[in-house]
């Protein structure tokens, strides 16, 4: 079983065939790998508790494009909130991707986190490693998972999509991918 793709790329005719089962397997491998990356990052922060994000939301973010937003969370209760939500968020994003559960929602928040990491780390480091970094690649992968419904391939989202609760509610359908 395969799919023929015929298109034009830079003015030239391009065609190729890809095997759909292999594409599905590859999508699951990517989703689980990126999920493990996030899950591991979150669990590491929990295991090394207490986590302190003040160096990032206070010092590193100051003077960057996103600094005016991020530095609002550099003190007091807002910092305490960030110190809990970053590891919790990374853990939940990772679990969502590994299990393929609420994949679109997990991918949205993963992309949001990667956006902050990309711009703040890049601007403070003067883009020392170039514009293409691990954060940008993570951002692109999260965007891809959200767009193509990666959780419906060997994931919990395939089962959720069959439930009447999700079938009859367009807003809830958006959460699964």
């Amino acid at each position: 079983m395969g799919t023929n793709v015929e298109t034009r790329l830079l003015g030239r005719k391009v065609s190729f065939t890809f095997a759909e089962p292999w594409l599905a397997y590859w999508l699951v491998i990517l989703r689980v790998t990126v999920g493990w990356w996030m899950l591991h990052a979150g669990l590491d922060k929990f295991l090394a508790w207490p986590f302190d994000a003040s160096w990032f939301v206070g010092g590193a973010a100051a003077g960057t494009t996103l600094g005016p937003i991020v530095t609002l969370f550099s003190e007091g209760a807002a910092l305490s909130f960030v110190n809990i939500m970053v590891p919790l968020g990374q853990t939940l994003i990772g679990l969502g991707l590994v299990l393929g559960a609420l994949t679109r929602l997990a991918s949205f928040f993963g992309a949001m986190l990667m956006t902050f990491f990309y711009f703040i780390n890049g601007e403070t480091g003067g883009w020392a490693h170039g514009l293409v970094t691990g954060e940008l690649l993570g951002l692109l992968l999260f965007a891809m998972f959200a767009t193509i419904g990666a959780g419906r391939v060997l994931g919990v989202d395939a089962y959720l999509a069959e439930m009447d609760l999700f079938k009859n509610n367009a807003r809830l359908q958006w959460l699964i991918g």
Side-chain angles (χ1 to χ4, degrees):
M1 190 163 58
T3 298
N4 293 322
V5 176
E6 294 184 17
T7 188
R8 295 188 72 76
L9 181 64
L10 302 175
R12 299 180 84 184
K13 195 178 212 178
V14 177
S15 65
F16 59 91
T17 303
F18 65 86
E20 292 167 3
W22 289 110
L23 180 63
Y25 291 131
W26 181 243
L27 184 60
V28 170
I29 289 168
L30 277 177
R31 190 192 77 220
V32 170
T33 302
V34 172
W36 175 251
W37 175 43
M38 271 292 126
L39 180 61
H40 186 265
L43 292 176
D44 273 356
K45 288 173 182 66
F46 277 126
L47 293 174
W49 199 259
F51 172 69
D52 183 18
S54 62
W55 65 272
F56 187 76
V57 295
T64 66
T65 305
L66 298 176
I69 298 167
V70 178
T71 54
L72 294 173
F73 296 92
S74 64
E75 297 176 341
L79 178 60
S80 296
F81 175 76
V82 170
N83 287 340
I84 293 170
M85 290 310 296
V86 168
L88 181 62
Q90 287 178 323
T91 302
L92 292 175
I93 291 164
L95 280 174
L97 290 178
V98 167
L99 299 174
L102 303 177
T103 307
R104 192 164 281 143
L105 181 66
S107 295
F108 169 78
F109 283 111
M112 194 169 77
L113 233 106
M114 287 293 114
T115 300
F116 283 108
F117 294 162
Y118 177 70
F119 282 103
I120 292 170
N121 287 337
E123 288 181 33
T124 57
W127 305 105
H129 299 287
L131 294 176
V132 179
T133 63
E135 290 92 354
L136 178 62
L137 296 176
L139 172 61
L140 294 174
L141 285 167
F142 284 123
M144 179 191 72
F145 297 144
T147 304
I148 64 175
R152 294 179 192 229
V153 182
L154 294 177
V156 172
D157 285 349
Y159 300 104
L160 294 177
E162 297 300 318
M163 294 174 61
D164 289 335
L165 175 67
F166 285 88
K167 278 185 180 179
N168 300 325
N169 190 324
R171 290 183 184 177
L172 288 179
Q173 287 176 8
W174 184 89
L175 299 177
I176 62 177

